[in-house]
Amino acid sequence: MKVDFYRHGLSPKEADSVGAVLSSPILTSGSVGKKVEAQLCGFFGTSDALLVNSWTNGALAVLLALGVRPGDEVIVPAMTFIATANVVELLDAKPVFVDVDPDTLLVTPQAIAAALTRRTRAVIPVHSYGQMCDMIGIRKALSHRTDVYIIEDAAHCFEGSRDGYAPGTHSDAAIFSFYATKNITCGEGGAVVTNRSELAETVRKTRLHGMSAGAADRYKNGTYRHWDMEILGVKANLPDLLAALLPNQISTIRERLPQRQALANYYRDAFKDMGIRMAKIEAGVVSAEWFFPIHVPPAVRDTGIVALNSRGINVAVNFPSVPTLSYYRQKYGYKASDFPVSYDWGGGTISVPLFPGLRREEQDAVINAVRTGVVPLLQGAA
Ligand SMILES: *Cc1c(COP(=O)(O)O)cnc(C)c1O
């Protein structure tokens, strides 16, 4: 059986909401986006929410608004998608990688505390695969450093929580991705949520070149207002054409989480006796169950991928350890042994299909393919 790695859950019916935008005079950021931002404030209980055209551009807008400058250090996990580190690198600041916990694959408060220097300006914990980091612990570890900002990479964790708190609660800002494979998607997009209104005010500018008013705000009471540019920004605003795809997904995301949980738990039950390593979910965490990565010894991972592909199962790798990719390795001289957990996980991980709409017979085909194609490779490989 052929099993897709991912299928989005949107239907052609959504065209109606896009069509409504087409009959408005200005297609980019306007009234639709403002409504979605209000909806996000309600969902997360934050004072502010700002739509952006990707996690990446949203993070750049936030780092610019916080004044992160060349030479500053920003702590990021070695196990994440490259975007988390690239945004730091793009500002000529230095990503300081830390290894992750071998059970959860998350950065810990201890690892962050150990990486702090006088130059540290920010930390970007990543809620990997939907499991939130210990944000209260991280905040405590930084309590003596009021000059260090905390920005959550919540690209995998829109609907997840930890001990009852959500992303955006214990940080300066949390940033989401609405990229094609994320739990909420409009193809490309993202959002920043924050309880710091003065930061939101600045991000409102840095997400649009640093301009003081976007196109939709230039007419107030029928009068044209001049804009100024007070601070350097990026082009990160989300068009209403894409924002129109979000309201329905946001209002139903909590009811859709049990489908992801059921699929993930079905995998967990099936794989636990096969000698396949999986991320451990800690007590008190409600994971958003984004992707489902399994782990085998790195020496047999690629053979395992071929075995799954030959059985019709499409898989992906999330993610190779970032500091050992060519750019970072060549620029900073990192070795695999610098981040052993991330390197081993990145070298041995395979993400199997997980999305609402994945059918039971498809999931059974994945499990069978792992049993017949991957498990035999484990013998003697460790
Ligand atoms: C997807 C992803 C991003 C980047 O999101 P974009 O919206 O594509 O810019 C950042 N961090 C993590 C952990 C991701 O998985």
Side-chain angles (χ1 to χ4, degrees), residues 323-324 329 332-340 343:
T324 41
R329 201 181 58 232
Y332 296 105
Y334 293 121
K335 303 180 297 299
S337 55
D338 293 335
F339 311 98
Y343 186 70

Side-chain angles (χ1 to χ4, degrees), residues 53-57 80-81 83-84 126 153 155-156 176-179 182 188-190 290 319:
N53 56 16
S54 67
W55 182 98
T56 303
N57 284 336
T80 181
F81 180 56
T84 317
V126 179
D153 182 338
H156 304 172
F176 303 96
S177 171
F178 302 142
Y179 173 69
K182 302 293 159 67
E188 301 283 355
W290 176 57
F319 306 95

Side-chain angles (χ1 to χ4, degrees), residues 167-185:
T169 311
H170 294 291
S171 63
D172 293 283
I175 309 174
F176 303 96
S177 171
F178 302 142
Y179 173 69
T181 62
K182 302 293 159 67
N183 289 12
I184 286 184
T185 182

Side-chain angles (χ1 to χ4, degrees), residues 112-154:
I112 288 170
L116 285 171
T117 75
R118 269 188 311 113
R119 292 178 171 223
T120 310
R121 286 302 307 278
V123 178
I124 312 183
V126 179
H127 304 324
S128 292
Y129 313 119
Q131 172 165 216
M132 272 189 83
C133 299
D134 174 7
M135 292 309 301
I136 289 179
I138 289 172
R139 204 158 79 153
K140 262 197 207 132
L142 294 169
S143 57
H144 62 298
R145 288 292 300 269
T146 48
D147 58 330
V148 175
Y149 301 110
I150 307 175
I151 303 159
E152 294 168 79
D153 182 338

Side-chain angles (χ1 to χ4, degrees), residues 107 330 342 379:
V107 277
Q330 283 158 17
S342 298
Q379 241 74 41

